[in-house]
Every structure is written in structure tokens, then in C-alpha cells.
Amino acid sequence: MSQLTVSEKKNTNFVLNVGVGLKDFIRHNLGIILGFLVLCIVISIVNPNFLSSNNLMNVLRQTSTNLYLALAMTMIIILGGIDLSVGSIMAVVGVVTTALIAQSGVPVYLAVIAGVLVGILIGSVNGYVVATTVIPPFIVTLATMNIARGAAYVLTDGKPVRVMSDSFNFIGSGYVGGVVPMPVVYLIIILLLCYLIMNKTKLGRYMYAVGGNADAAKFSGINIKKVKFFAYTFSGLMASVAGIVLASRMFSGQPTAGNGAELDAIAAVVLGGTSMTGGSGRIGGTVIGALIIGVLSNGLNLMGVSSFWQYIVKGIVILVAVYADVIKKRKA
């Protein structure tokens, strides 16, 4: 038998790695994958419109905003932390960006950059305080959640800021090739970035180490402060992206935007199998968790279920997911 060429060996290794990675992904997420498929089947039986191409694209568009937050939240929860401020960051970033465009005449690209910098600044404040003090992340981000939400109301006097710019509205409402929504394009890029960080860099390994045992990580030479600072700053960046996309889709900056978004992000992370105690979790699981939340919300809407009941359902889903995680850890 002739020997394989270098090119053939590379192709063979790539196929083998993809196959192993896919099997590993399915093995770790088999439960939620089956749950997701069952949920889709049930909703499609109740309402066949669920499987229409327009509705599926709508689900992806809505889920993408939650996933921006959830992917960063995965990193923070793996570290053993929490970030309650992401929904409020979305609001303040949205109103700052739209106000600069509509009221100050700032070019769209500069306003977007300014909005992103605001989100990064708030995230870095969270990261600095969490990393350098003994204040629990829950308290730190609860405080910034209120500060950011209050700032959004103060800047707008509680009123929405309308934007009638086609270039700005394209950010969240446009399509690539008339088929793929722009928010989904951003999601693909962000998902790839997060996958590389968590699976191909030292920083990703450090997050798991810090979340698993912070003292052991410190003694092994890991700079815990830098790892925490990065995670919360990245969360601020993702919240700013979500805030700008949402403002673009609504054609306005709303001081109430992102209300409860942190709960949807946490629910997606927990459903995806990330432990609330830190040290374990996977980006792929979070993606499935977010899809479950998105499909569940969309299905309830199609069935005419009140939005008030949807809060109850999501709360039950979070409780069940956390309980399942506790049982799993006890058995391990």
C-alpha cells in the first residue's frame, strides 16, 4: 500500500479530529440534545408554523442576542462568578449609541465604537472590583446593574431615543444575501472566538483551573486577577454588542431594554451543563441551552401563551437545571 502524502495525512487527521470532537460533544450533551429535539417535535406538532423558514430564522435572530451574553456568562460562571449587570449594560449602551446618532449627529460607526467602549468600561469596572476585593461578584454586579440602569433612565429621561438611520438599522435588521440575518453573522464570529479562547488558549485552561480550585491555581502561578478581569471585561463587550444589535432592531434606544436578559443568559448557561459552583462547562452546551430557551419562548408565543407565564416557565427551567447539576455532582 502506498504511503499517504503530507496533504492526505493532514486531511485524514482533520477528519479524525472533527469526528472525535463531534462524538465528545454529543456524549457530554446527549441529555440536553435529546431534550431540545423533543421540544422541537412537540412544538411543531402543536403548531406546524414553527418549522417554517421565516420562523426558524426568527428564532435564530432572537437567540443570537441571548447567546452574546450567555457565551461570556459561561466564562464567568466557570470561574465561579456571576454577572447580573449585562441587561443594564445593554440598555445604557443602546441609549448612548442612539443618542449620539440622533441628537448629536455623530457618524454611525463612531457612535457604535463609543457605545462599545461604554460597555467595556462597565465590564472592566466589574472585573477590577471582583478581582481586587473580597466583595462577592453577586453584590458587585448587582450594584453596577442598578447604576447602569439608572444611567439609562437619566440620559433619556425615561423616554426612548428614536433613530431613523438606515446604516444603523442594518446592524440588527439587515441580511447577508437576503437570507442570513446580520445578528446571526455576528454570532458565528463570536462563537468561533469563544471556542478558540476556551479550547485553544492558556487563558481558557486558566479559567477552568481558577474555577475548580482558586488556591491551587494561584500556587501554580496563574494570575487569578488577570483571568477574572478579562472575563468580566469580555462580558461587558458582549453586552454592548447585544445592546447595539437590539437598539438597531427596535430602531431606538430604550432605557428598559435588556430587562431580565441576565436571567435568560444564566438559564442558557445552566441548561448547557455549566456548573454554578465553577470549574466545569462547555461552550457547545451553552449554545444548545440558549436554543432551548429561544425555541421555548417562540413556541409559547406561537401557542398564544401570555408573556407573564413565560417568566414562570423559565424560572422552573432554571430551578430544574440547577437541581439536576447538584444531583449529578453528588453522584460523581
Side-chain angles (χ1 to χ4, degrees):
M1 183 181 293
S2 60
Q3 293 183 343
L4 294 175
T5 65
V6 174
S7 177
E8 290 173 331
K9 287 181 179 179
K10 287 182 178 179
N11 291 334
T12 301
N13 289 335
F14 174 77
V15 171
L16 289 174
N17 288 334
V18 170
V20 171
L22 183 60
K23 289 181 180 179
D24 186 58
F25 172 78
I26 294 174
R27 181 169 59 87
H28 280 90
N29 299 287
L30 182 61
I32 54 175
I33 290 174
L34 292 176
F36 173 67
L37 293 176
V38 169
L39 179 63
C40 291
I41 292 171
V42 171
I43 294 175
S44 62
I45 292 174
V46 175
N47 193 322
N49 291 328
F50 171 75
L51 293 177
S52 66
S53 58
N54 288 337
N55 185 65
L56 292 178
M57 278 298 171
N58 185 46
V59 171
L60 284 176
R61 187 190 297 108
Q62 293 175 341
T63 303
S64 62
T65 306
N66 183 29
L67 262 173
Y68 303 154
L69 306 178
L71 291 171
M73 191 73 74
T74 302
M75 298 180 184
I76 290 175
I77 292 180
I78 286 174
L79 283 170
I82 197 82
D83 189 353
L84 301 178
S85 66
V86 290
S88 297
I89 294 175
M90 287 176 62
V92 72
V93 167
V95 299
V96 166
T97 304
T98 53
L100 288 173
I101 297 170
Q103 299 174 1
S104 301
V106 175
V108 170
Y109 75 95
L110 289 179
V112 169
I113 292 173
V116 170
L117 290 177
V118 169
I120 292 174
L121 176 61
I122 299 174
S124 63
V125 169
N126 283 337
Y128 178 80
V129 177
V130 169
T132 59
T133 70
V134 294
I135 304 175
F138 180 89
I139 301 300
V140 174
T141 57
L142 179 64
T144 51
M145 177 186 75
N146 286 301
I147 293 170
R149 183 69 65 181
Y153 279 109
V154 169
L155 290 171
T156 61
D157 197 26
K159 302 174 183 177
V161 181
R162 294 284 297 173
V163 175
M164 303 306 294
S165 168
D166 291 338
S167 57
F168 178 72
N169 296 337
F170 179 80
I171 293 174
S173 303
Y175 288 82
V176 173
V179 178
V180 182
M182 288 302 297
V184 177
V185 175
Y186 310 144
L187 174 60
I188 293 171
I189 297 171
I190 292 171
L191 183 58
L192 178 60
L193 175 63
C194 291
Y195 172 80
L196 292 175
I197 291 174
M198 297 304 294
N199 295 279
K200 302 297 181 181
T201 67
K202 290 183 179 179
L203 178 60
R205 293 193 293 272
Y206 290 168
M207 289 184 191
Y208 285 105
V210 173
N213 190 322
D215 291 333
K218 182 178 180 180
F219 286 123
S220 66
I222 296 175
N223 191 324
I224 297 177
K225 292 181 180 179
K226 287 186 178 180
V227 174
K228 290 182 177 180
F229 181 80
F230 170 83
Y232 283 92
T233 302
F234 187 73
S235 181
L237 170 62
M238 291 297 98
S240 65
V241 172
I244 291 170
V245 169
L246 185 60
S248 174
R249 284 178 54 197
M250 297 190 300
F251 304 100
S252 64
Q254 303 272 358
T256 57
N259 191 20
E262 60 279 350
L263 299 181
D264 284 345
I266 294 170
V269 175
V270 174
L271 273 174
T274 298
S275 174
M276 291 297 291
T277 58
S280 65
R282 290 171 178 266
I283 293 296
T286 296
V287 173
I288 300 174
L291 287 173
I292 290 176
I293 296 294
V295 167
L296 183 62
S297 296
N298 180 262
L300 293 174
N301 286 332
L302 290 176
M303 290 184 284
V305 177
S306 168
S307 60
F308 305 140
W309 281 100
Q310 292 184 30
Y311 285 108
I312 296 175
V313 172
K314 289 177 183 177
I316 294 173
V317 167
I318 294 174
L319 184 62
V320 171
V322 173
Y323 180 72
D325 177 62
V326 171
I327 296 300
K328 184 172 66 175
K329 278 190 169 294
R330 284 182 180 175
K331 288 183 179 180

